[in-house]
Amino acid sequence: MTLVAGVDTSTQSTKVIVCDADTGAVLREGRAAHPDGTEVAPEHWWRAFQEATAGGLLDGVAAIGVGGQQHGMVLLDEAGNVVRDALLWNDTRSAGAADDLVGELPGGAAGWAEAVGLVPVASFTVTKLRWVARHEPEVAARAASVVLPHDWITHRLRADAGDGPTTDRGDASGTGYWSPATGQYRPDLVRLAFGRDLALPRVAGPAEVVGETAGGALLAPGTGDNMAAALGLGLRPGDVVVSLGTSGTVFGVSAAPVADASGTVAGFADATGRHLPLVCTLNAARVLTAAADLLGVPLSRLDELALTAEPGAGGLTLLPYLDGERTPNLPAARGLLNGLTRANAGPANLARAAYEGMLCGLADGLDAVRAAGVPVERVLLIGGAAASAAVRAIAPALLGMPVTVPDPGEYVALGAARQAAWALRGTDEAPAWPLAGAEVTAAPAEGIRKVYSEVRDRAQALLR
Ligand SMILES: Nc1ncnc2c1ncn2[C@@H]1O[C@H](COP(=O)(O)OP(=O)(O)O)[C@@H](O)[C@H]1O
Ligand SMILES: O=C(CO)[C@@H](O)[C@H](O)COP(=O)(O)O
């Protein structure tokens, strides 16, 4: 049997799976946690990779692919050493830099959407470059190149440095200085943000072999975690994914590039040559852990509590912007609980409000993706919080349609493994791997979404 491995180096942890290259059947798994925080030394990701693969997990593996959290800025010096901790996608300090950059490009938001398929917000790499240039000039002076988390891990896995780090079109499309429409970098936008040029990783083809590990395994190009999930799920036009990890994301595939000047939908590329319009919130699974901590219960009990409450949580509405928010673009916002009375003040309603608030944000994302022209025929629910019974019960009602929950799995790592199998075989298409899952339905709950959007709109002054 030929073995391939897929790595998911995401916000909270590294997960590695080893699969049968022909069927995608998962044979071995490992994982290790990352430190908390929105700036992290990349060395921690490497240590987590080593811990996750300890004990011979990768023995006999013929090819490896790496999926990684998008947008994180890893600045390297001339020798390829990291010059500062990576600023992650959920670090909001560059919100002001984002506003400045929008104002500085002719055409503003529309100009950016046309140039690179997205409008700068704090998450995107280009805004982090501006922040470092303005706030840490001595660090900026040492930087010779900039790469993304998956580029850095992939390069670190290589036995020889070759002609330097590589990236792929999926992850490159989240930088803000690569155009999904033309497939070219925009070095002028790096200069606009950073004040000078930086070396950028070569954009490898979708199934290119970019190197070899010391153990002799071939390295696939890797990609961003959402693009890897799309590959792991074998996403087809009409499929839309709702992923509930650290971030909440909603995305589907499209043949043509998407440029949304409102900035709500980011017009990313996928890992196969298509496009992956995507909406991202900063607050998803960790809204539930925060609610569980608040109530002093484990997540399993939070689920039970939420399912004992009536839909609408007795009138409690949570705007779940605990870490600030990206969609809507409210980086300085904080969470807000509205409608508290003596009658509804109880653990069950509070628990329910957390699930409903988180899912209403994703339901808004689904509307935005649909409005961008992405057909929505089937919704697939993945990510850590898709394991929650309450999420599965409430999601179809708030998303307004049946939801397919694929069998529990690490779909980012699976997609990275599928890319590895593709690179290994050198075929035109990625190998066809089966996907199993169940559909859950619930009556639409438009009333809850209406109340949520009224609270959200009325609270704008408090949230800015
Ligand atoms: N049964 C569950 N109910 C709710 N949340 C869960 C459950 N199982 C895992 N999670 C949450 O999923 C998150 C991890 O999801 P994951 O998709 O791996 O995140 P990331 O890729 O961003 O690191 C954690 O915040 C964890 O608390
Ligand atoms: O910023 C985005 C997408 O634009 C996030 O989706 C990151 O890619 C991190 O993902 P997770 O760690 O939540 O999987």
Side-chain angles (χ1 to χ4, degrees):
M1 183 190 300
T2 305
L3 302 180
V4 289
V7 180
D8 174 7
T9 172
S10 283
T11 315
Q12 296 189 54
S13 64
T14 293
K15 305 146 213 173
V16 184
I17 61 169
V18 175
C19 306
D20 177 346
D22 292 324
T23 64
V26 178
L27 307 166
R28 308 197 285 256
E29 288 188 65
R31 66 170 59 222
H34 295 170
D36 203 1
T38 61
E39 63 178 321
V40 171
E43 200 59 34
H44 286 295
W45 305 329
W46 181 246
R47 265 188 237 125
F49 173 80
Q50 288 176 311
E51 192 184 326
T53 55
L57 189 92
L58 296 177
D59 285 357
V61 163
I64 303 177
V66 180
Q69 54 175 313
Q70 294 182 245
H71 317 305
M73 178 193 65
V74 183
L75 284 174
L76 306 174
D77 66 14
E78 281 294 349
N81 297 314
V82 170
V83 301
R84 86 178 306 290
D85 288 356
L87 290 183
L88 306 190
W89 63 278
N90 53 355
D91 189 291
T92 54
R93 79 186 70 182
S94 56
D99 291 343
D100 291 347
L101 286 170
V102 172
E104 289 169 26
L105 191 71
W112 279 94
E114 193 190 329
V116 285
L118 51 82
V119 180
V121 290
S123 288
F124 300 137
T125 328
V126 70
T127 71
K128 299 176 193 301
L129 290 180
R130 165 58 68 86
W131 186 90
V132 170
R134 289 287 151 87
H135 292 87
E136 296 179 346
E138 68 299 339
V139 171
R142 282 189 285 129
S145 63
V146 59
V147 298
L148 297 167
H150 111 258
D151 311 344
W152 188 81
I153 291 283
T154 304
H155 193 62
R156 188 85 193 244
L157 279 166
R158 280 173 72 164
D160 73 85
D163 55 357
T166 55
T167 191
D168 86 303
R169 57 194 295 285
D171 227 0
S173 69
T175 58
Y177 43 82
W178 184 84
S179 164
T182 66
Q184 300 296 320
Y185 277 120
R186 292 285 307 256
D188 56 317
L189 298 180
V190 174
R191 286 192 291 274
L192 176 71
F194 199 65
R196 65 177 168 87
D197 282 310
L198 284 167
L200 303 171
R202 182 176 69 78
V203 181
E208 186 180 323
V209 173
V210 300
E212 214 173 283
T213 67
L218 301 183
L219 282 165
T223 191
D225 55 2
N226 292 294
M227 297 78 198
L231 202 49
L233 293 162
L235 223 57
R236 297 183 304 250
D239 290 341
V240 171
V241 175
V242 174
S243 172
L244 302 171
T246 315
S247 62
T249 57
V250 183
F251 54 91
V253 287
S254 98
V258 168
D260 173 13
S262 80
T264 306
V265 179
F268 296 150
D270 83 347
T272 70
R274 299 174 298 185
H275 297 270
L276 199 77
L278 181 148
V279 172
C280 179
T281 69
L282 290 192
N283 298 281
R286 292 203 281 205
V287 174
L288 305 182
T289 41
D293 289 347
L294 194 65
L295 293 171
V297 297
L299 283 171
S300 54
R301 179 67 187 141
L302 192 78
D303 258 7
E304 289 167 6
L305 284 168
L307 291 171
T308 61
E310 290 296 321
L316 277 187
T317 300
L318 178 70
L319 299 183
Y321 307 147
L322 309 190
D323 288 322
E325 192 44 272
R326 161 167 160 191
T327 315
N329 185 15
L330 297 166
R334 292 295 175 255
L336 191 67
L337 188 64
N338 186 68
L340 193 63
T341 65
R342 274 190 301 117
N344 65 17
N349 284 328
L350 190 58
R352 179 111 195 168
Y355 291 86
E356 290 182 350
M358 173 187 74
L359 286 164
C360 279
L362 274 304
D364 287 348
L366 185 62
D367 287 347
V369 162
R370 196 185 274 116
V374 177
V376 187
E377 290 157 17
R378 182 170 75 143
V379 169
L380 296 152
L381 189 66
I382 62 162
S388 149
V391 165
R392 291 169 183 220
I394 300 169
L398 291 180
L399 299 175
M401 60 189 292
V403 166
T404 298
V405 187
D407 282 354
E410 295 296 342
Y411 286 94
V412 174
L414 191 74
R418 189 163 175 238
Q419 188 194 52
W422 190 11
L424 183 69
R425 300 278 193 244
T427 45
D428 287 346
E429 301 283 330
W433 287 356
L435 177 72
E439 187 175 272
V440 282
T441 54
E446 279 150 17
I448 298 171
R449 288 199 61 198
K450 188 161 176 289
V451 173
Y452 178 90
S453 37
E454 282 167 9
V455 173
R456 182 198 59 211
D457 293 347
R458 275 193 285 118
Q460 285 299 306
L462 282 173
L463 297 170
R464 287 195 184 278

